[in-house]
């Protein structure tokens, strides 16, 4: 039985003999050592709330959601928002935020995030590539190293909300971000899915991943949920929820259902153009859905804060 | 090894289905391609190396199947109307379908190597390899393991945006 790559026994237990991962686990490359954890804690001390955006499935709208969550939260100019894109192979955030071609600057206090607004800073491997078509063909350990650097070397400053956009799956990036951020605290994860069973199948795994690593689940968002034709106004299910969709899955798994977001072709267009869909299409039913969901996430974070203060 | 030389020796063409992006329809296309080639009378196999999100078993309606071993390695699951498409996926190795495979790269690499060399495919005209999104461990390991064999090429799938 694998003791777990993050455990103190990682690489050293009897069960580790013969595991191809043994060397890495024993060398601590699988997770942060105490000195590193302390360093990360110091660096992230001024971050009030951290939200991870996950899915098991690709192409369901994680990056779109992360970008709009960041825009939505930053609409309050008194809040400082940070968006960290740890999808190293397919970083979508720079394009979605209109920051393609931007480079990262170094300063005395570390790497400087790229600012979309004064109160909205972004970091992504996309900013480190010389060309947007450069493939980042890295194995796990190198990806982990970059994620650690993002957390340790980026000068985020005082941040009210740190949003972390992740790639699909339950692998190195996900394990690493949870392990490195365990040095501070994560409010929870928002899990994005589309209504069909092929997506839900992967999302159930993600929910189990969260439970396994004790990551609280803020809730599930069902994206691409219905399409309203702009001409005839009829609604179609492009991805029919053949097994009851996300709502039923949430009931079955006792997880909060945050809401449904319909398909709106304007969303994809805004993303391609690097503009905020919420700002470009304020009357769209999708905008209303996003805003409701963002508000629920804010309330969740505030509640947690209040509960913690009560305990203390 | 002898097993390595024989298990893929009977496979005429190996096709990879790739994208950088998730959710564009790789698994859907892999499934439809397999079914179409089979309809055209070809001997077809599908290898699903998406360890975190294996979709092929459900798409071919065999999500509840189990795999067995024989002398030359793992026996694939036979699917399709005439049970003639050979399928191997990590989906079959999970105790419960909702179990997350939370593995780091090195462990994924070990399994992929096994999948490529230890499945008793027999004689196939086409082996279709479905991959997860990205350009990481699974992709590197799959291409490395397949290089000594008849790797025909890759089909890339995308959506318009």
């Amino acid at each position: 039985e694998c003791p777990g790559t993050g455990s103190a026994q990682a690489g050293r237990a009897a069960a580790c003999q013969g595991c191809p991962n043994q060397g890495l686990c024993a060398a601590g490359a699988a997770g942060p050592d105490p000195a590193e954890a302390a360093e990360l804690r110091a660096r992230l001390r001024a971050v009030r709330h951290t939200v991870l955006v996950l899915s098991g499935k690709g192409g369901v709208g994680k990056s779109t959601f992360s970008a709009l969550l960041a825009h939505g939260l930053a609409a309050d100019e008194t809040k400082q928002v940070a968006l960290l894109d740890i999808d190293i192979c397919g970083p979508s955030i720079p394009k979605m935020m209109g920051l393609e071609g931007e480079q990262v600057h170094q300063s005395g206090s570390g790497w400087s995030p790229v600012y979309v607004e004064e109160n909205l800073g972004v970091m992504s491997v996309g900013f480190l590539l010389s060309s947007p078509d450069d493939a980042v063909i890295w194995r796990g350990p190198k990806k982990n190293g970059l994620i650690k650097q993002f957390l340790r070397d980026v000068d985020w400053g005082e941040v009210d909300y740190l949003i972390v956009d992740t790639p699909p799956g339950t692998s190195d990036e996900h394990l690493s971000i949870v392990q490195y951020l365990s040095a501070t605290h994560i409010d929870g994860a928002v899990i994005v899915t589309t209504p069909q069973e092929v997506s839900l199948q992967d999302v159930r795994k993600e929910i189990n991943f969260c439970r396994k690593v004790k990551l609280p689940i803020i809730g599930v968002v069902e994206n691409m949920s219905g399409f309203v034709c702009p001409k005839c106004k009829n609604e179609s299910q492009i991805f029919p929820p053949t097994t009851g969709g996300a709502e039923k899955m949430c009931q079955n798994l006792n997880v909060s259902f945050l809401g449904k977001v319909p398909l709106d072709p304007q969303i994809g267009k805004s993303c391609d153009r690097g503009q905020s869909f919420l700002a470009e299409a304020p009357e769209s039913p999708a905008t209303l859905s996003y805003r409701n969901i963002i508000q629920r996430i804010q309330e969740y974070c505030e509640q947690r804060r209040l509960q913690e203060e009560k305990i203390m | 090894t002898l097993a390595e030389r024989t298990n893929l020796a009977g496979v005429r063409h190996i096709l990879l289905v790739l994208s950088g992006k998730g959710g564009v329809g790789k698994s859907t296309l892999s499934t439809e391609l397999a079914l179409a080639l089979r309809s055209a009378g070809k001997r077809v196999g599908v290898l699903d190396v998406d360890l975190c999100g294996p979709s092929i078993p459900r798409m071919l309606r065999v999500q509840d199947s189990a795999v067995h071993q024989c002398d030359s390695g793992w026996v694939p699951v036979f699917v399709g109307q005439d049970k003639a498409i050979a399928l191997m996926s990590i989906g079959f190795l999970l105790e419960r379908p909702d179990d997350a495979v939370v593995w780091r790269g090195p462990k994924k690499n070990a399994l992929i190597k096994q999948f490529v060399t230890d499945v008793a495919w027999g004689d196939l005209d086409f082996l279709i390899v479905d991959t997860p999104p990205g350009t990481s461990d699974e992709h590197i390991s799959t291409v490395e393991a397949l290089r000594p064999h008849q790797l025909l090429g890759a089909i890339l799938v995308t959506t318009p945006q």
Side-chain angles (χ1 to χ4, degrees):
Chain A
E1 272 300 317
C2 170
T5 53
S7 98
Q9 285 304 304
R12 292 176 246 272
C16 297
Q17 292 301 326
C19 173
N21 214 4
Q22 187 186 20
L24 279 167
C25 284
D33 64 37
E36 273 178 350
E39 205 182 344
L40 287 170
R41 210 177 303 125
R43 187 57 114 168
L44 299 168
R45 195 185 2 245
V47 173
R48 292 190 74 197
H49 298 292
T50 303
V51 174
L52 260 55
V53 181
L54 304 173
S55 181
K57 191 87 184 73
V60 295
K62 285 177 295 309
S63 297
T64 305
F65 187 80
S66 301
L68 295 178
L69 178 57
H71 275 300
L73 292 169
D76 177 351
E77 283 168 18
T78 67
K79 298 279 188 249
Q80 193 66 29
V81 180
L83 178 55
L84 172 59
D85 177 9
I86 61 167
D87 188 342
I88 293 175
C89 297
S92 304
I93 295 291
K95 176 168 270 297
M96 289 184 174
M97 302 299 282
L99 298 174
E100 250 193 339
E102 293 284 341
Q103 298 283 302
V104 168
H105 302 285
Q106 290 243 11
S107 74
S109 46
W111 289 358
S112 186
V114 179
Y115 287 91
V116 179
E117 314 278 352
E118 256 192 62
N119 68 333
L120 176 47
V122 181
M123 182 53 69
S124 165
V125 77
F127 298 138
L128 306 173
L129 303 175
S130 31
S131 143
D133 297 343
D134 280 348
V136 177
I137 312 172
W138 291 357
R139 288 193 182 276
K142 200 163 171 186
K143 294 197 280 189
N144 299 335
L146 183 63
I147 292 169
K148 200 189 328 180
Q149 261 201 293
F150 276 163
L151 294 172
R152 191 190 58 207
D153 294 348
V154 173
D155 181 17
W156 295 106
E158 297 245 350
V159 168
D160 291 288
Y161 292 97
L162 171 62
I163 317 284
V164 184
D165 184 31
T166 64
T170 49
S171 188
D172 288 274
E173 297 90 329
H174 312 87
L175 279 169
S176 294
I177 196 73
V178 167
Q179 281 172 354
Y180 296 142
L181 286 178
S182 67
T184 71
H185 101 159
I186 307 177
D187 286 65
V190 174
I191 302 181
V192 185
T193 184
T194 47
Q196 76 274 39
E197 176 57 26
V198 165
S199 293
L200 299 178
Q201 197 181 226
D202 291 349
V203 168
R204 286 191 201 98
K205 293 187 211 290
E206 199 73 16
I207 291 173
N208 279 324
F209 166 78
C210 291
R211 289 182 169 153
K212 221 171 177 172
V213 300
K214 304 212 195 332
L215 175 57
I217 298 172
I218 301 176
V220 174
V221 175
E222 183 179 91
N223 206 9
M224 308 191 196
S225 184
F227 170 70
V228 178
C229 172
K231 291 207 169 120
C232 70
K233 311 294 180 197
N234 267 332
E235 181 167 345
S236 311
Q237 287 297 330
I238 307 289
F239 298 105
T242 59
T243 56
E247 204 162 6
K248 182 124 199 298
M249 177 189 69
C250 287
Q251 273 167 18
N252 292 344
L253 297 178
N254 198 24
V255 163
S256 184
F257 179 62
L258 292 175
K260 297 182 183 187
V261 182
L263 259 171
D264 183 332
Q266 181 66 43
I267 298 173
K269 275 192 217 167
S270 296
C271 285
D272 276 6
R273 295 202 330 251
Q275 299 299 316
S276 163
F277 166 75
L278 303 176
E280 295 212 302
E283 307 299 317
S284 165
T287 299
L288 187 60
S289 298
Y290 276 128
R291 291 206 185 281
N292 283 339
I293 292 169
I294 292 172
Q295 188 167 355
R296 289 190 65 178
I297 295 170
Q298 265 178 296
E299 284 164 10
Y300 175 96
C301 291
E302 287 307 311
Q303 277 283 6
R304 262 184 84 93
R305 183 115 207 147
L306 289 172
Q307 275 169 3
E308 271 166 27
E309 281 168 7
K310 254 189 226 164
I311 293 169
M312 295 196 295
Chain B
T1 70
L2 200 60
E4 266 176 294
R5 277 203 291 282
T6 49
N7 276 336
L8 281 170
V11 177
R12 289 185 65 203
H13 303 297
I14 302 176
L15 282 168
L16 255 61
V17 179
L18 301 173
S19 182
K21 191 88 182 72
V24 295
K26 287 178 291 309
S27 297
T28 306
L29 183 81
S30 299
T31 301
E32 296 305 324
L33 189 55
L35 292 167
L37 287 167
R38 179 64 212 148
S39 273
K42 305 295 177 193
R43 292 162 302 182
V44 184
V46 179
L47 175 59
D48 178 5
V49 298
D50 188 340
L51 301 179
C52 297
S55 303
I56 306 278
R58 171 165 284 274
M59 289 184 177
L60 289 168
R61 295 203 288 191
V62 289
Q63 61 269 30
D64 300 322
S65 294
V67 285
H68 312 282
Q69 295 252 351
C70 68
D71 285 341
S72 33
W74 283 340
V75 180
V77 175
F78 288 92
V79 302
Q81 266 194 319
D82 52 0
K83 299 272 176 236
I85 298 176
L87 168 63
M88 179 52 72
S89 165
I90 197 177
F92 298 135
L93 303 180
L94 298 175
E95 280 197 20
R96 284 166 307 191
D98 298 343
D99 277 352
V101 171
V102 187
W103 293 354
R104 289 192 181 273
K107 198 164 173 186
K108 293 199 281 190
N109 300 334
L111 184 63
I112 285 171
K113 204 159 176 295
Q114 259 203 298
F115 265 359
V116 174
T117 59
D118 287 1
V119 176
W121 295 108
D123 290 329
L124 297 177
D125 296 300
F126 291 95
L127 176 62
I128 297 165
V129 184
D130 185 32
T131 63
T135 48
S136 187
D137 289 277
E138 293 90 328
H139 312 86
I140 301 170
S141 299
T142 300
V143 172
E144 276 176 0
L146 287 174
R147 218 187 281 280
H149 305 282
Q150 307 280 27
L151 188 45
L152 184 65
I155 298 174
L156 274 79
V157 186
T158 184
T159 48
Q161 75 273 35

